[in-house]
Amino acid sequence: MTAFGCRTATFFRIAIAGFLLAAVGEIVSPVRSLADSPITRENARPGGTDWILTDPADHEVEGYASATSIQRGDKLHFHIHSTDPRITVAIYRMGWYAGAGARLVQGGISLPGVRQPMPSADPVTGLIECDWQVSYTLNTATDDPGEWLSGIYLAKLTGATSGKQSYIIFVVREDDRPADFLFQSSVTTFQAYNNWGGKSTYPSNSREERWARKVSFNRPYGRSQHPQGGSGVGAGEFLTAMSIHPTRSLSTAGWEYNMVRWLERNGYDVTYSTDIDTHSRSDFWKGHRAWLSVGHDEYWSDEMRRHVEGARDQGLGLGFFSANTCYWQIRLEPSPITGEPNRTMVSYKEVALAEDPYALDGDPSNDHLITVQWRDQPLNRPEHQLIGVMFETVPVDGDLVITRPAHPLFSGIPLPPDHRLPGLLGYEIDRAFPDGPAGLVILAHSPYLRDGQIVYGDMTLYQTPSGSPVFASGTIQWSWGLDDYNVPALRTARTSEAAQQITRHILELLARKTLSPAQ
């Protein structure tokens, strides 16, 4: 063990042993009866598999929503382009539903197909924004308490003549319903990789490799470059991720939906939001015990980080079942066309010090908003100060190795003799660095041979002075241990009873008491 590991282990034994041992008692019995969860009742309703795309579109039918999320009871506009004279729209809530994966919430919507104008890229920033007319307005107002439950929804678009299909993804929130867990869908990362119209924030994923410094939410999500990745076209990285490395097929398998399926299968009391909500509301976590970042959560604004840190310091438990998290700072601006807030994402990245207007304006008061990596100047706010770990390397596909099997989080879990959880380390991994949070405990220290050198991914846990536990898996692929969606089309099976039980223990630890800003 390194000196750093010894130091954190000593702190664990002396300073927070009582807290973590007390957590064992919480692990034994759930915080709330899962049988009483609204999620349990919702998933007892009949689902179906007709939500799955059978003939994914290229550009024959596609669209976007006017917001990444809406409060239950609000309206949402769909902007749809189609080369077909008519299209149909069917709206599904995503979950478990006895393995079917979704429930039809509203169907039978038939609309005239409209050819919408195709935008061109801004010659300076690369911004591509659609100015499309509204094709349909969804109204989620209802007197039925069982309808439009908070969740991640997919509107399935189908061309009546061509049969081509795609999705529009959106989230329904219930800001006024207390729940144990708040699941964040990381749509800013979806948008960073989205190359619809020929531009993303990556040169290898952009036309002529002139990547965009600004990207818009007023456009559809493009199709994955993987030959089988079209199954999620229009859904961002929720089902299948946008590959920027065509030879690295693991990057297209997706992560968020796997954990949604598992949480809902097990009846956890969960509501949903997006990181645009985390950005726009300091009380985004109101009424929740813990907040979950899942899969790939790379792009954070200053407001997002301040709001999450503030919630943590008020006692909210944080679960980072993710990696490469909070790596790049972004800014969110209004749409230059509609004026709607938070519809344009600004990300100058590697050229920020040379091109970002905030770096060039001679005003030091806004330097903390320059869109560089969080660990770099002028920010100097390494992400591990919040998360416990930070980005190490990519690509990785290996085994996660538990190195503290006697820790209470692993109590009663039948780990294999070598303490390995096969295939759960990757696609990107994080590790612990010196000068991280006080009392950081390294639970797993997983080696991986990459380019002739051993690199490590770390799973960590720490407790804040406010009493908040903060867990980090240090791997994007953790949710593959929970659910086998996308097997065998995009990856091999990785489900693990041990990973599922560990996750139950972690969730019980994170949700150990009721917290809200109002209390």
Side-chain angles (χ1 to χ4, degrees):
M1 180 181 292
T2 65
F4 174 58
C6 291
R7 176 174 62 83
T8 57
T10 300
F11 192 99
F12 159 71
R13 287 193 297 269
I14 296 174
I16 60 173
F19 160 74
L20 292 172
L21 290 173
V24 176
E26 294 184 284
I27 288 169
V28 171
S29 58
V31 173
R32 299 183 186 181
S33 170
L34 300 185
D36 296 334
S37 164
I39 298 298
T40 298
R41 296 192 293 272
E42 167 66 26
N43 279 267
R45 304 175 76 170
T49 59
D50 53 347
W51 63 273
I52 299 171
L53 303 185
T54 55
D55 192 2
D58 286 317
H59 294 286
E60 296 88 351
V61 57
E62 56 191 347
Y64 60 92
S66 58
T68 60
S69 75
I70 56 169
Q71 169 72 344
R72 182 176 181 265
D74 287 349
K75 294 180 180 180
L76 184 70
H77 303 305
F78 294 153
H79 305 259
I80 303 170
H81 161 80
S82 176
T83 58
D84 282 59
R86 294 205 68 80
I87 61 172
T88 61
V89 181
I91 300 172
Y92 298 86
R93 184 185 181 279
M94 308 307 292
W96 175 245
Y97 302 100
R103 178 177 72 86
L104 177 65
V105 175
Q106 187 171 332
I109 304 169
S110 179
L111 304 172
V114 175
R115 291 177 181 259
Q116 305 271 19
M118 294 296 115
S120 58
D122 181 277
V124 177
T125 66
L127 177 68
I128 295 174
E129 179 174 11
C130 298
D131 187 12
W132 291 357
Q133 69 184 57
V134 174
S135 304
Y136 180 76
T137 297
L138 173 69
N139 189 351
T140 64
T142 177
D143 294 327
D144 185 343
E147 289 301 323
W148 296 110
L149 189 73
S150 179
I152 299 178
Y153 287 75
L154 295 180
K156 179 183 176 183
L157 316 177
T158 302
T161 303
S162 68
K164 293 293 184 178
Q165 302 165 325
S166 66
Y167 295 122
I168 297 175
I169 187 171
F170 63 97
V171 169
V172 173
R173 309 187 315 275
E174 288 183 85
D175 296 338
D176 53 353
R177 176 167 75 84
D180 289 339
F181 302 100
L182 179 61
F183 183 110
Q184 176 192 269
S185 184
S186 301
V187 297
T188 55
T189 299
F190 294 4
Q191 200 57 253
Y193 287 83
N194 179 20
N195 71 343
W196 188 91
K199 296 290 185 182
S200 75
T201 66
Y202 290 85
S204 59
N205 197 27
S206 296
R207 185 179 301 144
E208 300 173 352
E209 293 197 359
R210 169 68 184 179
W211 50 274
R213 277 61 168 166
K214 295 185 179 184
V215 289
S216 175
F217 284 94
N218 288 333
R219 58 176 183 152
Y221 285 111
R223 180 171 180 157
S224 168
Q225 295 175 354
H226 189 279
Q228 294 178 292
S231 59
V233 62
E237 290 198 355
F238 179 64
L239 298 174
T240 57
M242 175 64 70
S243 175
I244 62 168
H245 304 292
T247 62
R248 301 171 185 171
S249 60
L250 281 171
S251 66
T252 63
W255 307 280
E256 285 192 9
Y257 182 46
N258 301 78
M259 192 157 192
V260 168
R261 286 167 59 96
W262 184 84
L263 288 169
E264 301 222 344
R265 181 179 188 176
N266 287 276
Y268 283 99
D269 188 14
V270 58
T271 65
Y272 297 84
S273 68
T274 74
D275 49 9
I276 300 298
D277 304 306
T278 309
H279 165 90
S280 60
R281 294 174 44 230
S282 62
D283 66 345
F284 72 94
W285 58 285
K286 180 179 64 177
H288 294 83
R289 303 174 181 226
W291 174 85
L292 309 179
S293 161
V294 177
H296 198 189
D297 188 8
E298 184 176 354
Y299 290 82
W300 286 46
S301 69
D302 176 73
E303 291 87 344
M304 288 172 60
R305 181 152 179 181
R306 285 192 289 106
H307 293 166
V308 171
E309 289 177 338
R312 175 203 61 183
D313 293 344
Q314 293 182 65
L316 184 73
L318 306 181
F320 293 96
F321 297 90
S322 55
N324 190 216
T325 306
C326 193
Y327 186 65
W328 290 106
Q329 174 162 251
I330 59 168
R331 295 193 300 273
L332 290 167
E333 297 178 345
S335 158
I337 293 176
T338 69
E340 286 295 312
N342 304 326
R343 297 296 285 175
T344 303
M345 190 174 100
V346 181
S347 182
Y348 283 85
K349 299 170 74 169
E350 292 92 348
V351 299
L353 296 181
E355 294 186 19
D356 190 331
Y358 282 22
L360 304 177
D361 62 5
D363 180 2
S365 68
N366 62 25
D367 285 357
H368 67 288
L369 300 175
I370 296 172
T371 57
V372 296
Q373 293 177 20
W374 282 96
R375 64 184 76 177
D376 289 346
Q377 294 181 349
L379 304 184
N380 299 315
R381 295 174 64 193
E383 55 269 34
H384 72 143
Q385 293 175 352
L386 164 64
I387 302 164
V389 293
M390 60 186 184
F391 176 70
E392 169 68 354
T393 192
V394 64
V396 169
D397 187 29
D399 298 345
L400 192 145
V401 181
I402 303 296
T403 49
R404 294 185 66 90
H407 191 278
L409 281 178
F410 308 121
S411 175
I413 295 175
L415 294 171
D418 60 3
H419 303 147
R420 288 180 176 269
L421 302 181
L424 300 190
L425 186 71
Y427 163 70
E428 303 187 47
I429 60 171
D430 297 350
R431 69 172 175 90
F433 284 71
D435 302 318
L440 186 74
V441 180
I442 299 177
L443 303 168
H445 188 58
S446 308
Y448 184 79
L449 181 63
R450 184 177 182 274
D451 298 333
Q453 294 185 328
I454 298 293
V455 295
Y456 289 90
D458 291 334
M459 174 191 291
T460 61
L461 177 69
Y462 75 93
Q463 182 194 12
T464 67
S466 66
S468 301
V470 179
F471 168 82
S473 67
T475 173
I476 286 181
Q477 291 173 191
W478 180 262
S479 61
W480 291 0
L482 307 181
D483 178 82
D484 264 346
Y485 177 75
N486 269 331
V487 172
L490 295 181
R491 62 177 179 87
T492 58
R494 314 288 176 95
T495 49
S496 161
E497 181 180 352
Q500 293 167 354
Q501 292 190 37
I502 292 168
T503 304
R504 292 186 185 100
H505 286 194
I506 294 164
L507 293 178
E508 290 302 320
L509 174 62
L510 295 178
R512 71 208 181 285
K513 59 183 178 181
T514 303
L515 299 160
S516 77
Q519 293 178 327

